[in-house]
Amino acid sequence: MAENILVIGACGQLGTELVEELRKMYGNDQVIASDIFKGDDVVFRSGPFEILDILDKKRLGEVLYKYKPTQVYHLAALLSATAELKPKLGWTLNMDGLFNVLDAAVEFRIDKIYWPSSIAVFGPGTPANNTPQNCVMDPNTIYGISKLAGERYCEYYFRKHGVDVRSLRYPGLIGYKSDPGGGTTDYAVSIYHDALTTALHHCFLKADTELPMLYMPDALKATLDIMHAPAEKIKIRSSYNLAGMSFSPKEITAAIQKYIPAFDTLYMPDSRQEIADSWPNSIDDSEARKDWGWKPGYDLDSMTRDMLKNLAPRYGLALSL
Ligand code: AKB
């Protein structure tokens, strides 16, 4: 049977690139992008787009009835920093949005659901280095609490209702095609833009704050790999630990300085420092490697070269990399 794929929250950092990849794989008309507004990226003109607020259950039903998707990627969420500023909305959007999708998966018999979790499910009591899949999880942000509760709900719907839901605990995602919004790891994207424009980055974290990160091509690969893996290979139905690299603002600054020696960073930590301090430094993703063959392709240096190479033309620059 032909696959029809609905992406909810398609205009965000991951959604924009995921829609592009899915349309290459399945065909433009097979992938329905949806969000509360239509993004201006060219990808949203290449196939169907629906305005959809995931809190509007009736509208979700209409979209599902119209397209009868076999797979749904539910990406709509408020990220860590924004959810701290708007806790009620963060909780409602992140939880009720997920309930609506899981209930719809049962009602409309959707074959597969993808829902992203995050390293934010960990907290100050979690072992910070090489954080294992199962350990103390005491998130102290609204975003992290909603993601941990969401993980439990995903596993519950798998067990009670047989919903084939798959999930990854993303670290910070870094890419050049679309911008993140409202996250604690966002600095690791804007630092590249600053390097190519003002040669100075004002960092909202301290120099030594090490966090797990992942380059977008690896994030897309992991997402599509877990969705394409045979169901029996998916042993974890809450969410898999996933790792690419770990670095601090000081280390990414040094990585950029290899190619742009005049670049520098000024450290001006704000409220996001407390969030970052509660998260792991590095992640053990051996379960994902063992169960469905996960292996990242990029490290800090290869990502830095690729980011600079792809962003430089946007600012009319030619770098020898
Ligand atoms: C954030 O910083 O909120 C996200 C995340 C790690 O989930 N990038």
Side-chain angles (χ1 to χ4, degrees), residues 15 34 47 58 89-90 110 141 202-203 217 243 260-261 267 275 313 319 321:
S34 71
K58 184 164 166 279
L89 178 63
I110 299 165
T141 61
H202 292 93
C203 189
I260 307 176
Y267 299 96
I275 301 176
L319 290 177
L321 294 160

Side-chain angles (χ1 to χ4, degrees), residues 165-194:
V165 53
R166 303 169 183 211
S167 176
L168 298 169
R169 289 175 180 155
Y170 290 127
L173 299 184
I174 300 167
Y176 58 87
K177 289 189 186 167
S178 47
D179 291 332
T184 302
T185 55
D186 294 8
Y187 90 88
V189 175
S190 49
I191 197 167
Y192 287 108
H193 292 266
D194 290 343

Side-chain angles (χ1 to χ4, degrees), residues 13 78-82 116-121 141 143 147 169-173 180-187 204 211-213 272 275 279:
Q13 183 196 19
L78 232 55
L79 295 190
S80 56
T82 314
S117 185
S118 160
I119 55 160
V121 293
T141 61
Y143 176 65
K147 287 293 180 187
R169 289 175 180 155
Y170 290 127
L173 299 184
T184 302
T185 55
D186 294 8
Y187 90 88
F204 55 70
L211 287 171
M213 302 279 183
R272 286 167 280 193
I275 301 176
W279 288 353

Side-chain angles (χ1 to χ4, degrees), residues 203-269:
C203 189
F204 55 70
L205 297 181
K206 290 185 196 157
D208 288 323
T209 311
E210 187 182 353
L211 287 171
M213 302 279 183
L214 189 65
Y215 194 32
M216 190 58 88
D218 278 338
L220 293 169
K221 185 173 134 34
T223 308
L224 296 168
D225 282 357
I226 194 175
M227 282 299 271
H228 292 150
E232 62 275 12
K233 296 232 175 219
I234 310 300
K235 310 275 188 224
I236 293 173
R237 292 296 182 159
S238 50
S239 190
Y240 276 92
N241 271 12
L242 186 74
M245 61 192 94
S246 280
F247 56 78
S248 64
K250 195 170 71 185
E251 286 164 335
I252 189 174
T253 298
I256 295 171
Q257 282 168 337
K258 264 169 74 181
Y259 305 102
I260 307 176
F263 173 65
D264 213 349
T265 296
L266 269 181
Y267 299 96
M268 309 166 80

Side-chain angles (χ1 to χ4, degrees), residues 57-320:
K57 213 170 173 173
K58 184 164 166 279
R59 173 80 186 125
L60 174 63
E62 285 165 9
V63 172
L64 294 174
Y65 186 75
K66 180 172 172 188
Y67 293 100
K68 305 191 173 39
T70 51
Q71 299 179 38
V72 171
Y73 289 75
H74 167 41
L75 310 178
L78 232 55
L79 295 190
S80 56
T82 314
E84 286 309 288
L85 296 176
K86 300 176 184 172
K88 272 243 149 54
L89 178 63
W91 181 256
T92 306
L93 178 65
N94 295 2
M95 294 312 302
D96 290 354
L98 177 60
F99 296 152
N100 288 347
V101 171
L102 290 173
D103 285 341
V106 178
E107 189 185 336
F108 288 83
R109 296 168 189 253
I110 299 165
D111 292 346
K112 269 188 252 178
I113 302 288
Y114 180 78
W115 173 79
S117 185
S118 160
I119 55 160
V121 293
F122 299 114
T126 298
N129 295 315
N130 219 19
T131 302
Q133 176 72 35
N134 295 305
C135 55
V136 171
M137 295 167 95
D138 56 351
N140 59 7
T141 61
I142 289 293
Y143 176 65
I145 297 167
S146 72
K147 287 293 180 187
L148 183 53
E151 287 191 5
R152 304 316 309 151
Y153 260 94
C154 286
E155 195 187 282
Y156 181 86
Y157 270 71
F158 171 73
R159 227 169 9 88
K160 282 273 172 187
H161 302 290
V163 175
D164 186 352
V165 53
R166 303 169 183 211
S167 176
L168 298 169
R169 289 175 180 155
Y170 290 127
L173 299 184
I174 300 167
Y176 58 87
K177 289 189 186 167
S178 47
D179 291 332
T184 302
T185 55
D186 294 8
Y187 90 88
V189 175
S190 49
I191 197 167
Y192 287 108
H193 292 266
D194 290 343
L196 291 163
T197 51
T198 57
L200 181 67
H201 176 65
H202 292 93
C203 189
F204 55 70
L205 297 181
K206 290 185 196 157
D208 288 323
T209 311
E210 187 182 353
L211 287 171
M213 302 279 183
L214 189 65
Y215 194 32
M216 190 58 88
D218 278 338
L220 293 169
K221 185 173 134 34
T223 308
L224 296 168
D225 282 357
I226 194 175
M227 282 299 271
H228 292 150
E232 62 275 12
K233 296 232 175 219
I234 310 300
K235 310 275 188 224
I236 293 173
R237 292 296 182 159
S238 50
S239 190
Y240 276 92
N241 271 12
L242 186 74
M245 61 192 94
S246 280
F247 56 78
S248 64
K250 195 170 71 185
E251 286 164 335
I252 189 174
T253 298
I256 295 171
Q257 282 168 337
K258 264 169 74 181
Y259 305 102
I260 307 176
F263 173 65
D264 213 349
T265 296
L266 269 181
Y267 299 96
M268 309 166 80
D270 65 17
S271 57
R272 286 167 280 193
Q273 182 66 45
E274 202 185 325
I275 301 176
D277 286 342
S278 75
W279 288 353
N281 303 327
S282 58
I283 298 286
D284 172 4
D285 61 2
S286 48
E287 302 290 329
R289 290 174 187 255
K290 174 166 61 75
D291 289 356
W292 43 274
W294 162 243
K295 192 169 178 280
Y298 285 86
D299 62 13
L300 176 57
D301 187 52
S302 51
M303 175 181 76
T304 296
R305 260 186 287 122
D306 205 59
M307 282 293 284
L308 293 174
K309 186 177 95 200
N310 283 288
L311 283 176
R314 195 185 295 186
Y315 298 111
L317 300 169
L319 290 177
S320 53

